[in-house]
Amino acid sequence: MSSKKVRVRFAPSPTGGLHLGGVRTVLYNYLFAKQHKGDFILRTEDTDQGRYVPGAEKYIFDCLRWTGLEPDESAIHGGEYGPYRQSERKSMYKTYAAQLIKDGYAYYAFDTPEELEKMRADFKTESNPSPQYDHNIRGKMRNSLTLSAEEVQQLLDAGTRHVVRIKMPQHETVSFTDMIRGEVSFDTSVVDDKVLLKADGMPTYHLAVVVDDYLMKITHAFRGEEWLPSAPVHVLLWKYLFGLDNMPEWAHLPLILGTNGKLSKRDGAKYGFPVFAMNWLDPKTNELTEGFKEKGFLPEAFINMLALLGWNDGTAQELFTKQELVEKFSMDRVHSGGAKFDYEKAKWFNHEWIKRLPAAALAQQVKPFFEAKGINIADEKLLSAVIDLVKERCHLLTDLVEQGSFFFVMPEKFDVDAVKPKWNEAKQLFFAEVIRNFELGTTWNATELEHNFKEIAAANQIKPGEVLLPLRIMLVGGKFGPHVFDIAALLGKDETIRRIKYFLGLL
RNA sequence: GGCCCGUUGGUCAAGGGGUUAAGACGCAUCCCUUUCACGGAUGAAUCACGAGUUCGAUUCUCGUACGGGCUACCA
């Protein structure tokens, strides 16, 4: 390891919503960078023009802003190593591809998609269901290895569509040390001749990742485990182009799993939990996929939960602030096995964070949820008081709305059926007296209210238990909520009396 | 099929030659609470299998099984 400044990157392709696993990769990058006083770069991998989705890049930045994992350098943050979109770096890759060809490490291939399809069909056997363009096959295809130099030149001059492929050596062992898995090795004979430069002149991921990591002086490269099989291609490219000494250290992160395999959007839809960080509206299909943010998660809880999905600090601690994570995170405590996502546990993290965050901070985040329900919050102090009263029973920010909306508006409906069967004249009289007493009351606090209420009950020979639930339903509409006299206290004299009267009229 | 990675309760996981194999989520029961929760207590539940090394393997080695990933001019 050198003493070079730590530089890491997250390199998403702007094709859709930002997945849980993606955010975790961002998080590990970010934590590692900040811990080492390094830079966190966001590079947009938009080399596939067919899959480009307008708005997706902005959406990714929005997600990072929400989670608080802002890049130091990116297409919108700027930086010395730009441009940060691969589409804007197109010309750079060609040079390196040419160098590889010149050195005999790569070659031109003129095979059309149809010819490739035919090759796969022709060579497909039961023991080899997916034939690869490799050392066995390349001699039978139309490329600069099988064609004469003149023919190749003619095709090139004629502007024939072609790609550049890496020429994988035979019988070499490529190995590298993964920060999480230790030494990993591959036999190059079983790796295919991956396309490096596509017919449209754009690089594939394989070329781009190596060239850009080099040019952007990346020191540590983290990505999902699904990239492990193509790692030998990248290692070889490093060796051919820039030297293994300059290669970043790799860490292939374990996958986040759903019920069967990699966690997918489908898992979320099936079991009713989000998979994306924020709501994603696909501009092509107009399909909306719900995000953690809109579901009612706090960013603090979201990243805390994600950090622990595959990593722990070796103690029993589970709740970490971002700052604590920056201090304590370490790659060698990251698991190598995949982790199944548990939505219940995710909600628990959010619950804990709702409890520990001050009401004022929660108020800011929960306001939009109230507004979405048509409840405008004029009095923020009241909102904070409400939050303090109900937050311990809330797992999601939306629970805060359910638990707290009756402080701002009349309940939409009252559970009359819970009261009616046991209702009688005595209770009617009792509440009439309660109203008179409350109207006269000078001090309006929970203790006083409870005291008076119970005195009146005793005087009327009614057990408090028989009238407590009715009172609750009068105030909140149903059988839920904090202590009923705390509610009355916060609701205020006029509103409390108004609701009792209103409910009495319903019976 | 081939290659690669992985495997401690239902889930997240600590531990890494000798332990009663932590803890958390979830679940169950009880306590608290004249609602619902919170909180507290208790409980059920785990080292995939087979060899080897060893006085002794959950821990080390090798196999097997199982799971997952990759196998595009997608990332």
Side-chain angles (χ1 to χ4, degrees):
Chain A
M1 249 235 267
S2 67
S3 54
K4 281 185 290 187
K5 183 176 192 190
V6 165
R7 288 174 58 80
V8 300
R9 83 294 189 274
F10 175 61
S13 72
T15 52
L18 183 60
H19 190 271
L20 263 187
V23 182
R24 194 192 55 179
T25 304
V26 172
L27 178 62
Y28 287 4
N29 268 291
Y30 179 92
L31 297 176
F32 187 86
K34 296 303 146 190
Q35 181 176 84
H36 293 94
K37 307 264 181 289
D39 299 324
F40 169 48
I41 293 105
L42 187 121
R43 184 172 68 219
T44 306
E45 307 230 337
D46 55 349
T47 54
D48 187 347
Q49 301 180 326
R51 290 212 305 160
Y52 176 76
V53 176
E57 187 190 60
K58 181 189 177 295
Y59 164 88
I60 289 166
F61 283 117
D62 289 344
C63 290
L64 297 194
R65 189 165 316 118
W66 176 63
T67 54
L69 306 173
E70 290 270 355
D72 298 301
E73 297 170 24
S74 79
I76 63 169
H77 294 80
E80 293 172 40
Y81 298 86
Y84 291 90
R85 287 187 193 98
Q86 289 182 331
S87 59
E88 296 168 16
R89 304 169 65 82
K90 190 175 174 183
S91 61
M92 303 184 188
Y93 308 107
K94 207 167 284 181
T95 317
Y96 293 101
Q99 188 187 323
L100 287 166
I101 293 172
K102 182 171 74 63
D103 296 342
Y105 295 127
Y107 59 92
Y108 295 108
F110 301 95
D111 318 279
T112 63
E114 294 72 30
E115 285 169 328
L116 288 173
E117 209 174 299
K118 186 174 184 306
M119 178 278 279
R120 291 195 185 100
D122 288 352
F123 292 95
K124 184 173 175 175
T125 63
E126 205 162 294
S127 63
N128 184 15
S130 41
Q132 305 195 105
Y133 200 120
D134 60 12
H135 64 93
N136 289 127
I137 299 292
R138 64 179 167 235
K140 298 163 179 147
M141 305 299 286
R142 292 204 307 133
N143 53 50
S144 58
L145 264 22
T146 57
L147 268 22
S148 71
E150 294 74 41
E151 286 175 299
V152 170
Q153 198 52 54
Q154 269 178 23
L155 286 166
L156 256 23
D157 290 344
T160 313
R161 283 177 75 82
H162 64 275
V163 301
V164 174
R165 287 180 181 271
I166 185 171
K167 185 182 173 189
M168 286 303 284
Q170 281 185 64
H171 312 303
E172 267 182 37
T173 299
V174 171
S175 56
F176 66 96
T177 304
D178 186 277
M179 292 173 79
I180 295 170
R181 286 150 223 283
E183 177 154 321
V184 183
S185 47
F186 301 82
D187 178 355
T188 55
S189 305
V190 297
V191 183
D192 61 333
D193 291 354
K194 292 260 184 269
V195 169
L196 263 21
L197 214 55
K198 302 186 249 188
D200 64 2
M202 280 288 193
T204 59
Y205 173 83
H206 306 295
L207 213 216
V209 71
V210 170
V211 168
D212 288 340
D213 281 352
Y214 170 75
L215 259 18
M216 294 182 177
K217 295 194 162 61
I218 301 302
T219 57
H220 302 262
F222 310 147
R223 67 201 338 183
E225 190 187 337
E226 70 267 28
W227 288 107
L228 212 37
S230 55
V233 177
H234 311 315
V235 172
L236 243 27
L237 251 18
W238 269 98
K239 184 177 161 190
Y240 298 155
L241 253 16
F242 311 117
L244 258 16
D245 292 344
N246 297 312
M247 186 171 73
E249 289 196 59
W250 296 100
H252 290 88
L253 272 25
L255 263 16
I256 295 179
L257 278 7
T259 28
N260 28 347
K262 257 201 303 193
L263 182 69
S264 70
K265 214 169 72 175
R266 284 201 62 79
D267 286 304
K270 194 169 170 190
Y271 300 102
F273 59 77
V275 166
F276 291 159
M278 288 169 68
N279 274 6
W280 168 248
L281 179 65
D282 191 308
K284 287 175 183 164
T285 61
N286 237 19
E287 181 197 0
L288 179 76
T289 310
E290 191 178 36
F292 277 88
K293 180 185 181 216
E294 290 80 3
K295 187 76 182 176
F297 277 81
L298 293 163
E300 290 87 347
F302 187 52
I303 63 169
N304 189 165
M305 176 273 290
L306 249 18
L308 273 280
L309 208 54
W311 171 88
N312 69 82
D313 76 340
T315 73
Q317 185 177 352
E318 294 194 273
L319 266 15
F320 296 88
T321 62
K322 191 169 81 172
Q323 191 48 43
E324 283 177 303
L325 290 172
V326 167
E327 287 159 16
K328 294 181 174 174
F329 180 76
S330 72
M331 241 341 138
D332 42 72
R333 288 201 65 88
V334 174
H335 275 253
S336 43
K340 204 171 281 181
F341 174 65
D342 181 358
Y343 185 51
E344 292 305 318
K345 183 90 186 215
K347 281 196 292 191
W348 174 81
F349 274 107
N350 207 51
H351 180 212
E352 292 301 317
W353 273 98
I354 286 176
K355 284 193 288 179
R356 62 163 46 192
L357 247 33
L362 252 18
Q364 285 313 307
Q365 300 200 56
V366 83
K367 243 175 116 168
F369 288 92
F370 275 100
E371 279 158 12
K373 287 278 177 192
I375 300 170
N376 279 301
I377 308 292
D379 185 347
E380 293 214 8
K381 276 216 185 95
L382 174 63
L383 178 58
S384 286
V386 167
I387 288 171
D388 274 330
L389 210 50
V390 304
K391 67 181 190 179
E392 69 187 18
R393 66 196 66 215
C394 298
H395 282 74
L396 299 172
L397 256 20
T398 49
D399 295 338
L400 248 18
V401 177
E402 279 177 33
Q403 292 286 330
S405 58
F406 62 80
F407 284 103
F408 302 96
V409 293
M410 274 283 266
E412 277 174 29
K413 55 181 178 206
F414 292 87
D415 189 355
V416 182
D417 293 339
V419 177
K420 218 166 191 171
K422 291 181 179 172
W423 195 252
N424 56 33
E425 184 79 7
K427 289 180 184 173
Q428 184 81 29
L429 261 27
F430 166 79
F431 276 101
E433 196 175 336
V434 167
I435 291 171
R436 280 196 299 279
N437 176 281
F438 281 6
E439 276 172 340
L440 257 60
T442 45
T443 51
W444 190 261
N445 65 63
T447 334
E448 188 84 1
L449 258 22
E450 179 166 5
H451 175 78
N452 293 352
F453 187 87
K454 287 185 173 168
E455 285 232 307
I456 299 166
N460 286 275
Q461 291 180 317
I462 290 176
K463 283 189 216 132
E466 292 180 56
V467 281
L468 239 19
L469 186 67
L471 176 63
R472 167 176 301 281
I473 292 175
M474 291 168 186
L475 300 187
V476 318
K479 293 188 254 186
F480 66 94
H483 284 293
V484 69
F485 296 104
D486 286 336
I487 296 172
L490 198 55
L491 226 34
K493 184 170 169 174
D494 293 345
E495 186 62 19
T496 300
I497 293 167
R498 184 167 90 96
R499 288 193 191 179
I500 295 174
K501 283 181 176 167
Y502 175 81
F503 187 85
L504 257 19
L506 251 37
L507 285 163

